[in-house]
Amino acid sequence: MSRSDQVRDNYFKPLETAESIKNKAYYLTVALSFYPSYSELIPESYRLYVSYLSIVMVVFYWAIGFISRIYLSPRANDARAKEFISTAFGVELIHHRTDGYYNNDEPEGYKKMALMILENSFFTKEILKKMAIPERIKFGVYFVLWLILFRISSFDILSTATTLFFSEEVVSNLFRIEWQRMKTEKIFDELINSVRLSDSQSITVPAIDSLVAYETSKSLSGILLSSKIFNENNARLSNEWDRIRESLS
């Protein structure tokens, strides 16, 4: 079965591009942030340019993050929410649609929405599990380096390293991934039990409650799911989801 996702193509890909640029800018900013401690290693004629570049990168890093968080991310999530409601209730809130996803056979309504939330939360928690692995490794490596610098480096270098280590890209990023993973796992477990025990009428409240909890967790964590991990694991997860869906029929 062919699949297409116009919402991802039109809204999430620009966000992914911005996040990729932001991550690269972060590492360049990290390298430049240590410049004052090693400025004597750079020819004097270039020192002023390096200082200017450091300032430009700090401003650029902030700007791309601001644009992503204030414009690109809300725009993409709003489009996804409209497409979700359109599919669940058979309405047309957005002309960009997905094809080949949300393939449960329930008629439009809250039971269909509940199964769609289950599918979303299942894929989200599994992708977050995979995303957490390299982030844990990165956290461990950075923490060890920070401990080494704590023992052997000057205060200026340690201060810079501490600022970078406890930044949004390292400690905060890992904690947000782990928090959203745990929240999504809880949403999935609670909703699947409700679907098993409820009929089409009594599922309304659990479905709405789960939708609010799921969207709130996404908004608070601010984590963009990895499309690379999704594509690598899509076939396996789709088969697993099909078995879950069939068990609920």
Side-chain angles (χ1 to χ4, degrees):
M1 179 177 60
S2 62
R3 290 186 173 188
S4 64
D5 188 348
Q6 295 179 355
V7 173
R8 172 167 291 281
D9 294 341
N10 288 277
Y11 297 94
F12 278 91
K13 281 189 176 179
L15 177 59
E16 290 172 355
T17 300
E19 287 296 312
S20 177
I21 294 172
K22 177 172 170 277
N23 289 337
K24 292 179 175 62
Y26 168 76
Y27 288 108
L28 181 54
T29 303
V30 167
L32 291 170
S33 66
F34 288 99
Y35 160 70
S37 301
Y38 297 100
S39 58
E40 67 277 3
L41 300 178
I42 299 175
E44 188 172 353
S45 58
Y46 291 100
R47 291 177 188 175
L48 184 60
Y49 297 109
V50 175
S51 299
Y52 285 150
L53 179 59
S54 180
I55 294 171
V56 169
M57 287 309 304
V58 169
V59 174
F60 177 77
Y61 175 75
W62 170 84
I64 195 71
F66 182 82
I67 293 170
S68 293
R69 181 162 295 181
I70 298 300
Y71 174 66
L72 292 175
S73 181
R75 172 176 174 263
N77 286 311
D78 183 59
R80 180 65 75 200
K82 288 180 178 179
E83 197 279 330
F84 180 91
I85 296 299
S86 297
T87 302
F89 294 98
V91 294
E92 194 71 22
L93 297 179
I94 186 171
H95 65 279
H96 293 120
R97 303 298 295 272
T98 62
D99 179 48
Y101 299 89
Y102 304 132
N103 55 348
N104 67 76
D105 298 325
E106 292 291 328
E108 285 83 2
Y110 287 103
K111 181 66 177 293
K112 185 179 185 68
M113 186 178 81
L115 290 175
M116 289 169 61
I117 300 168
L118 268 182
E119 182 177 350
N120 279 351
S121 58
F122 171 74
F123 275 84
T124 297
K125 70 184 183 69
E126 295 300 322
I127 292 171
L128 287 170
K129 286 179 184 177
K130 295 288 186 181
M131 290 176 63
I133 294 173
E135 290 299 322
R136 291 167 187 161
I137 295 172
K138 182 171 74 173
F139 174 85
V141 171
Y142 275 58
F143 183 67
V144 170
L145 291 175
W146 181 77
L147 288 177
I148 293 172
L149 291 174
F150 186 82
R151 294 180 63 87
I152 68 173
S153 67
S154 66
F155 179 81
D156 289 342
I157 295 177
L158 178 62
S159 177
T160 302
T162 301
T163 301
L164 297 171
F165 176 66
F166 288 98
S167 70
E168 183 176 331
E169 299 298 329
V170 185
V171 175
S172 175
N173 197 55
L174 174 60
F175 286 179
R176 287 184 293 125
I177 288 175
E178 297 286 15
W179 179 83
Q180 188 183 356
R181 176 186 59 79
M182 291 186 292
K183 289 288 292 184
T184 308
E185 288 174 350
K186 181 181 178 183
I187 292 167
F188 178 83
D189 291 340
E190 291 179 350
L191 184 56
I192 198 170
N193 289 330
S194 296
V195 170
R196 285 170 175 158
L197 299 174
S198 305
D199 56 28
S200 297
Q201 298 298 321
S202 58
I203 195 62
T204 300
V205 172
I208 295 174
D209 182 60
S210 297
L211 178 62
V212 171
Y214 179 76
E215 292 298 327
T216 300
S217 69
K218 286 200 310 178
S219 177
L220 290 176
S221 70
I223 294 297
L224 179 64
L225 296 181
S226 169
S227 58
K228 180 176 182 293
I229 292 177
F230 171 78
N231 291 329
E232 290 173 350
N233 294 271
N234 187 28
R236 175 182 63 83
L237 293 177
S238 294
N239 290 333
E240 189 172 346
W241 165 247
D242 285 341
R243 291 193 294 269
I244 294 172
R245 177 172 54 81
E246 289 170 3
S247 72
L248 298 173
S249 301

Tab-separated table of all heavy atoms in Angstrom, residues 4-17 71-80 83 94-98:
chain	number	residue	atom	x	y	z
A	4	SER	N	1.498	8.379	1.690
A	4	SER	CA	1.976	9.748	1.491
A	4	SER	C	1.563	10.576	2.698
A	4	SER	O	0.556	10.295	3.344
A	4	SER	CB	1.401	10.354	0.205
A	4	SER	OG	-0.008	10.480	0.293
A	5	ASP	N	2.358	11.584	2.995
A	5	ASP	CA	2.083	12.446	4.146
A	5	ASP	C	2.358	13.889	3.720
A	5	ASP	O	3.470	14.384	3.831
A	5	ASP	CB	2.963	12.044	5.329
A	5	ASP	CG	2.583	12.784	6.607
A	5	ASP	OD1	1.811	13.756	6.530
A	5	ASP	OD2	3.070	12.382	7.681
A	6	GLN	N	1.315	14.538	3.224
A	6	GLN	CA	1.468	15.910	2.752
A	6	GLN	C	1.741	16.876	3.898
A	6	GLN	O	2.375	17.912	3.689
A	6	GLN	CB	0.208	16.337	1.996
A	6	GLN	CG	-0.032	15.565	0.718
A	6	GLN	CD	-1.302	15.996	0.008
A	6	GLN	OE1	-2.066	16.813	0.512
A	6	GLN	NE2	-1.532	15.444	-1.170
A	7	VAL	N	1.268	16.540	5.098
A	7	VAL	CA	1.527	17.412	6.252
A	7	VAL	C	3.014	17.427	6.577
A	7	VAL	O	3.611	18.474	6.818
A	7	VAL	CB	0.688	16.964	7.466
A	7	VAL	CG1	1.078	17.765	8.706
A	7	VAL	CG2	-0.792	17.130	7.181
A	8	ARG	N	3.625	16.250	6.567
A	8	ARG	CA	5.072	16.194	6.828
A	8	ARG	C	5.836	16.922	5.726
A	8	ARG	O	6.761	17.691	6.003
A	8	ARG	CB	5.539	14.738	6.928
A	8	ARG	CG	7.061	14.606	7.006
A	8	ARG	CD	7.487	13.227	7.425
A	8	ARG	NE	7.142	12.971	8.801
A	8	ARG	CZ	7.839	13.411	9.847
A	8	ARG	NH1	8.928	14.144	9.660
A	8	ARG	NH2	7.455	13.151	11.064
A	9	ASP	N	5.468	16.657	4.483
A	9	ASP	CA	6.191	17.266	3.364
A	9	ASP	C	6.112	18.790	3.378
A	9	ASP	O	7.097	19.478	3.075
A	9	ASP	CB	5.652	16.737	2.030
A	9	ASP	CG	5.938	15.249	1.841
A	9	ASP	OD1	6.834	14.736	2.523
A	9	ASP	OD2	5.254	14.616	1.024
A	10	ASN	N	4.948	19.329	3.743
A	10	ASN	CA	4.737	20.768	3.642
A	10	ASN	C	5.001	21.540	4.930
A	10	ASN	O	5.259	22.746	4.871
A	10	ASN	CB	3.301	21.049	3.182
A	10	ASN	CG	3.070	20.694	1.728
A	10	ASN	OD1	3.380	21.465	0.833
A	10	ASN	ND2	2.536	19.496	1.484
A	11	TYR	N	4.937	20.850	6.069
A	11	TYR	CA	5.056	21.563	7.343
A	11	TYR	C	6.207	21.077	8.216
A	11	TYR	O	6.885	21.895	8.852
A	11	TYR	CB	3.745	21.454	8.129
A	11	TYR	CG	2.567	22.095	7.434
A	11	TYR	CD1	1.727	21.339	6.621
A	11	TYR	CD2	2.306	23.454	7.579
A	11	TYR	CE1	0.643	21.923	5.974
A	11	TYR	CE2	1.229	24.046	6.932
A	11	TYR	CZ	0.402	23.266	6.134
A	11	TYR	OH	-0.660	23.856	5.489
A	12	PHE	N	6.417	19.773	8.260
A	12	PHE	CA	7.438	19.259	9.170
A	12	PHE	C	8.836	19.243	8.555
A	12	PHE	O	9.827	19.365	9.273
A	12	PHE	CB	7.067	17.856	9.662
A	12	PHE	CG	6.087	17.877	10.801
A	12	PHE	CD1	4.729	17.839	10.561
A	12	PHE	CD2	6.534	17.970	12.113
A	12	PHE	CE1	3.820	17.879	11.603
A	12	PHE	CE2	5.634	18.011	13.169
A	12	PHE	CZ	4.271	17.962	12.912
A	13	LYS	N	8.928	19.101	7.249
A	13	LYS	CA	10.257	19.118	6.631
A	13	LYS	C	10.961	20.466	6.798
A	13	LYS	O	12.165	20.495	7.086
A	13	LYS	CB	10.167	18.714	5.158
A	13	LYS	CG	10.035	17.203	4.974
A	13	LYS	CD	10.172	16.786	3.525
A	13	LYS	CE	10.142	15.261	3.404
A	13	LYS	NZ	10.258	14.823	1.990
A	14	PRO	N	10.273	21.604	6.629
A	14	PRO	CA	10.946	22.882	6.934
A	14	PRO	C	11.389	22.969	8.392
A	14	PRO	O	12.472	23.507	8.682
A	14	PRO	CB	9.863	23.922	6.619
A	14	PRO	CG	8.981	23.268	5.614
A	14	PRO	CD	8.951	21.825	6.011
A	15	LEU	N	10.584	22.414	9.304
A	15	LEU	CA	10.964	22.400	10.721
A	15	LEU	C	12.186	21.516	10.942
A	15	LEU	O	13.102	21.879	11.692
A	15	LEU	CB	9.789	21.914	11.567
A	15	LEU	CG	10.040	21.760	13.073
A	15	LEU	CD1	10.475	23.078	13.696
A	15	LEU	CD2	8.778	21.221	13.754
A	16	GLU	N	12.223	20.362	10.293
A	16	GLU	CA	13.376	19.468	10.409
A	16	GLU	C	14.639	20.126	9.864
A	16	GLU	O	15.722	19.992	10.455
A	16	GLU	CB	13.102	18.165	9.651
A	16	GLU	CG	12.040	17.283	10.294
A	16	GLU	CD	11.669	16.101	9.418
A	16	GLU	OE1	12.164	16.025	8.273
A	16	GLU	OE2	10.872	15.256	9.873
A	17	THR	N	14.507	20.842	8.757
A	17	THR	CA	15.664	21.549	8.194
A	17	THR	C	16.180	22.605	9.158
A	17	THR	O	17.394	22.729	9.381
A	17	THR	CB	15.283	22.209	6.856
A	17	THR	OG1	14.855	21.196	5.923
A	17	THR	CG2	16.465	22.958	6.264
A	71	TYR	N	7.310	29.863	15.295
A	71	TYR	CA	6.584	29.806	14.023
A	71	TYR	C	6.494	28.405	13.429
A	71	TYR	O	5.393	27.861	13.255
A	71	TYR	CB	7.223	30.763	13.014
A	71	TYR	CG	6.616	30.657	11.628
A	71	TYR	CD1	5.292	31.029	11.398
A	71	TYR	CD2	7.353	30.165	10.551
A	71	TYR	CE1	4.728	30.921	10.143
A	71	TYR	CE2	6.803	30.055	9.290
A	71	TYR	CZ	5.481	30.434	9.083
A	71	TYR	OH	4.926	30.309	7.836
A	72	LEU	N	7.640	27.796	13.143
A	72	LEU	CA	7.629	26.540	12.391
A	72	LEU	C	6.986	25.395	13.172
A	72	LEU	O	6.186	24.628	12.623
A	72	LEU	CB	9.053	26.164	11.983
A	72	LEU	CG	9.720	27.081	10.955
A	72	LEU	CD1	11.169	26.661	10.727
A	72	LEU	CD2	8.947	27.070	9.639
A	73	SER	N	7.325	25.244	14.445
A	73	SER	CA	6.777	24.139	15.235
A	73	SER	C	5.274	24.276	15.483
A	73	SER	O	4.517	23.325	15.231
A	73	SER	CB	7.537	24.018	16.559
A	73	SER	OG	7.032	22.945	17.327
A	74	PRO	N	4.768	25.437	15.945
A	74	PRO	CA	3.313	25.574	16.100
A	74	PRO	C	2.562	25.397	14.780
A	74	PRO	O	1.477	24.807	14.756
A	74	PRO	CB	3.150	27.002	16.640
A	74	PRO	CG	4.449	27.317	17.284
A	74	PRO	CD	5.489	26.624	16.455
A	75	ARG	N	3.135	25.907	13.697
A	75	ARG	CA	2.507	25.779	12.373
A	75	ARG	C	2.380	24.313	11.976
A	75	ARG	O	1.318	23.872	11.503
A	75	ARG	CB	3.351	26.545	11.353
A	75	ARG	CG	2.969	26.389	9.893
A	75	ARG	CD	3.846	27.292	9.051
A	75	ARG	NE	3.655	27.101	7.626
A	75	ARG	CZ	4.422	26.337	6.862
A	75	ARG	NH1	5.460	25.696	7.406
A	75	ARG	NH2	4.188	26.206	5.573
A	76	ALA	N	3.443	23.540	12.183
A	76	ALA	CA	3.414	22.126	11.815
A	76	ALA	C	2.460	21.337	12.705
A	76	ALA	O	1.675	20.512	12.211
A	76	ALA	CB	4.834	21.547	11.914
A	77	ASN	N	2.506	21.575	14.006
A	77	ASN	CA	1.637	20.838	14.920
A	77	ASN	C	0.168	21.199	14.732
A	77	ASN	O	-0.711	20.348	14.888
A	77	ASN	CB	2.071	21.087	16.369
A	77	ASN	CG	3.347	20.344	16.719
A	77	ASN	OD1	3.484	19.162	16.468
A	77	ASN	ND2	4.306	21.053	17.284
A	78	ASP	N	-0.099	22.446	14.401
A	78	ASP	CA	-1.472	22.855	14.119
A	78	ASP	C	-1.999	22.144	12.880
A	78	ASP	O	-3.141	21.673	12.858
A	78	ASP	CB	-1.521	24.371	13.926
A	78	ASP	CG	-2.942	24.876	13.696
A	78	ASP	OD1	-3.793	24.660	14.573
A	78	ASP	OD2	-3.199	25.493	12.635
A	79	ALA	N	-1.169	22.041	11.839
A	79	ALA	CA	-1.577	21.326	10.620
A	79	ALA	C	-1.815	19.854	10.908
A	79	ALA	O	-2.773	19.256	10.416
A	79	ALA	CB	-0.507	21.490	9.543
A	80	ARG	N	-0.945	19.247	11.716
A	80	ARG	CA	-1.112	17.839	12.067
A	80	ARG	C	-2.402	17.618	12.847
A	80	ARG	O	-3.133	16.638	12.615
A	80	ARG	CB	0.087	17.359	12.881
A	80	ARG	CG	0.010	15.901	13.303
A	80	ARG	CD	0.058	14.958	12.124
A	80	ARG	NE	1.392	14.841	11.582
A	80	ARG	CZ	1.660	14.412	10.348
A	80	ARG	NH1	0.673	14.078	9.542
A	80	ARG	NH2	2.908	14.322	9.912
A	83	GLU	N	-5.362	17.836	10.480
A	83	GLU	CA	-5.453	16.631	9.644
A	83	GLU	C	-5.980	15.458	10.465
A	83	GLU	O	-6.769	14.639	9.976
A	83	GLU	CB	-4.074	16.328	9.061
A	83	GLU	CG	-4.086	15.384	7.876
A	83	GLU	CD	-4.174	13.926	8.291
A	83	GLU	OE1	-3.683	13.598	9.379
A	83	GLU	OE2	-4.748	13.118	7.529
A	94	ILE	N	-8.312	20.878	6.584
A	94	ILE	CA	-7.058	21.203	5.914
A	94	ILE	C	-6.986	20.393	4.625
A	94	ILE	O	-7.445	19.242	4.571
A	94	ILE	CB	-5.847	20.890	6.825
A	94	ILE	CG1	-4.538	21.364	6.185
A	94	ILE	CG2	-5.786	19.421	7.194
A	94	ILE	CD1	-3.345	21.273	7.124
A	95	HIS	N	-6.453	20.994	3.570
A	95	HIS	CA	-6.420	20.290	2.286
A	95	HIS	C	-5.194	19.384	2.152
A	95	HIS	O	-5.164	18.523	1.271
A	95	HIS	CB	-6.478	21.275	1.113
A	95	HIS	CG	-5.296	22.185	1.012
A	95	HIS	ND1	-5.155	23.332	1.776
A	95	HIS	CD2	-4.179	22.117	0.235
A	95	HIS	CE1	-4.019	23.927	1.476
A	95	HIS	NE2	-3.400	23.215	0.551
A	96	HIS	N	-4.182	19.565	3.001
A	96	HIS	CA	-3.043	18.654	3.013
A	96	HIS	C	-3.397	17.449	3.869
A	96	HIS	O	-3.689	17.590	5.055
A	96	HIS	CB	-1.792	19.347	3.576
A	96	HIS	CG	-1.275	20.440	2.707
A	96	HIS	ND1	-1.174	21.761	3.137
A	96	HIS	CD2	-0.837	20.442	1.425
A	96	HIS	CE1	-0.700	22.505	2.166
A	96	HIS	NE2	-0.485	21.740	1.123
A	97	ARG	N	-3.342	16.256	3.285
A	97	ARG	CA	-3.797	15.064	3.996
A	97	ARG	C	-2.744	13.961	3.930
A	97	ARG	O	-1.765	14.029	3.174
A	97	ARG	CB	-5.116	14.553	3.394
A	97	ARG	CG	-6.240	15.562	3.377
A	97	ARG	CD	-6.642	16.017	4.776
A	97	ARG	NE	-7.205	14.921	5.537
A	97	ARG	CZ	-8.507	14.596	5.529
A	97	ARG	NH1	-9.354	15.309	4.795
A	97	ARG	NH2	-8.959	13.601	6.248
A	98	THR	N	-2.959	12.927	4.732
A	98	THR	CA	-2.128	11.733	4.674
A	98	THR	C	-2.902	10.623	3.983
A	98	THR	O	-4.133	10.630	3.952
A	98	THR	CB	-1.731	11.256	6.090
A	98	THR	OG1	-2.923	10.921	6.816
A	98	THR	CG2	-0.968	12.323	6.836
